[in-house]
Amino acid sequence: MDKETLIEVHNRIKPFIHKTPVLSSSLINEMVGADIVFKCENFQKMGAFKMRGAANAILSLSEDERGRGVVTHSSGNFAQAVSLAAQKLNVKAFIVMPENAPQVKKNGVRTYHGEIIECESTPEARETTAKKIEELNGASFLHPSNQDEVIYGNSTVAIELLEEFPNLDVILTPIGGGGLIAGTALAAQYFSKNCRVIGGEPMEADDAYRSLISGKIETNNSFHTIADGLRTHLGDRNFPIIQKYVEKIIRVEESEIVDAMQIIWERMKIIIEPSCAVPFAAVLKNKEEFKNIKVGIILSGGNVDVKNLPF
């Protein structure tokens, strides 16, 4: 994998994605004492960065593979991304979703003509259900975060951000399955001079934080976080990238996630989902660390149930 590969990926998916805006808020800058820019993937097609990885993964399949369809398991955003990318490329999409996935995300999948198969809300149940569909239909499995094509697609968020703001000192992303932060770390490695990458993670699902300490992939015993997009664990494709290039992970409490989410809604007048607020919560929690530097924050998505807000 090299810089040229990532440039090729970016060019390949450009017809299928928006180049999302980068916004800032002088009030937020004052609050933190830093120069912060937000890459707004909540304005991406289907409402999250996942469209990038999904598009690249489907575009990387042969005609024959596309003909047999694709299958994935996801609590929502990757489900919608695969459904929309598949619809645009006339590919059948089978989507395994946990029964407790937000209704707004299930509705999104149906809008893009994805076929939903529900399962229990555990990583094991998701994987076995997807496996059955794979065997039954010959569909190609697309992993939401632990697949090279998906990671490379995700890298394009930070590539665009660094093209616009080449002098960032640090980029923060949420960390759930690890696909976004791994892609971001690769982009920082190849497209910046010395931009650091830091992850934000809920205390209630801090497997990545523990994995970096232990040096092996840890799992979560608790999934009691409002950040529903981050209830997944790392994989063998993204973990080595994270180990190599991610400086550290900052954990945040549930109340800190809600506060950060509310500040962005109120100050910036934009809709973000809880998972998306986690890296900003990490900055608010550790203001000293980010004082007087240039900070990029990836706002990963905005697919939130507006009838069920935490504030």
Side-chain angles (χ1 to χ4, degrees), residues 52-273:
R52 297 169 182 267
N56 190 47
I58 297 176
L59 287 163
S60 302
L61 296 173
S62 68
E63 284 301 319
D64 182 42
E65 287 168 326
R66 287 188 211 175
R68 294 196 298 271
V70 293
V71 57
T72 191
H73 55 71
S74 160
S75 66
N77 281 342
F78 195 68
Q80 291 181 78
V82 168
S83 303
L84 179 55
Q87 185 190 30
K88 286 185 177 297
L89 290 158
N90 295 318
V91 173
K92 172 83 179 147
F94 301 96
I95 311 291
V96 176
M97 295 184 87
E99 52 209 0
N100 65 352
Q103 194 56 48
V104 65
K105 294 185 176 178
K106 289 181 185 172
N107 296 348
V109 169
R110 293 197 177 101
T111 307
Y112 306 131
H113 303 167
E115 186 181 315
I116 296 176
I117 299 95
E118 292 198 359
C119 69
E120 278 177 62
S121 181
T122 65
E124 296 72 36
R126 289 179 186 201
E127 281 158 27
T128 24
T129 312
K131 196 86 193 132
K132 276 182 201 155
I133 295 161
E134 210 179 328
E135 286 161 7
L136 204 63
N137 300 284
S140 295
F141 178 68
L142 306 182
H143 197 285
S145 55
N146 193 46
Q147 182 178 337
D148 293 352
E149 292 79 8
V150 171
I151 293 167
Y152 300 163
N154 294 343
S155 75
T156 61
V157 184
I159 291 172
E160 289 176 7
L161 178 57
L162 287 162
E163 275 171 359
E164 223 171 310
F165 294 89
N167 297 325
L168 290 176
D169 295 301
V170 62
I171 297 177
L172 291 98
T173 85
I175 182 161
L180 176 60
I181 199 164
T184 302
L186 290 175
Q189 185 60 24
Y190 290 113
F191 294 84
S192 79
K193 289 188 196 74
N194 46 14
C195 179
R196 299 174 290 126
V197 175
I198 292 176
E201 190 173 43
M203 286 277 190
E204 291 291 333
D206 69 345
D207 56 310
Y209 173 85
R210 288 181 286 110
S211 301
L212 272 192
I213 291 169
S214 72
K216 64 184 200 316
I217 296 172
E218 303 288 347
T219 53
N220 286 313
N221 305 320
S222 137
F223 294 98
H224 302 301
T225 176
I226 189 173
D228 60 276
L230 309 184
R231 293 175 187 151
T232 48
H233 47 75
L234 303 177
D236 60 345
R237 301 305 300 164
N238 56 47
F239 183 50
I241 300 170
I242 294 165
Q243 273 184 304
K244 193 170 180 184
Y245 298 125
V246 173
E247 184 176 287
K248 64 170 170 179
I249 292 165
I250 298 170
R251 297 178 298 171
V252 291
E253 303 286 357
E254 292 300 293
S255 60
E256 293 169 327
I257 299 171
V258 175
D259 290 348
M261 180 177 170
Q262 188 168 358
I263 289 168
I264 287 177
W265 277 61
E266 287 177 355
R267 301 294 184 206
M268 299 183 72
K269 319 297 180 208
I270 59 175
I271 291 175
I272 62 160
E273 59 190 89

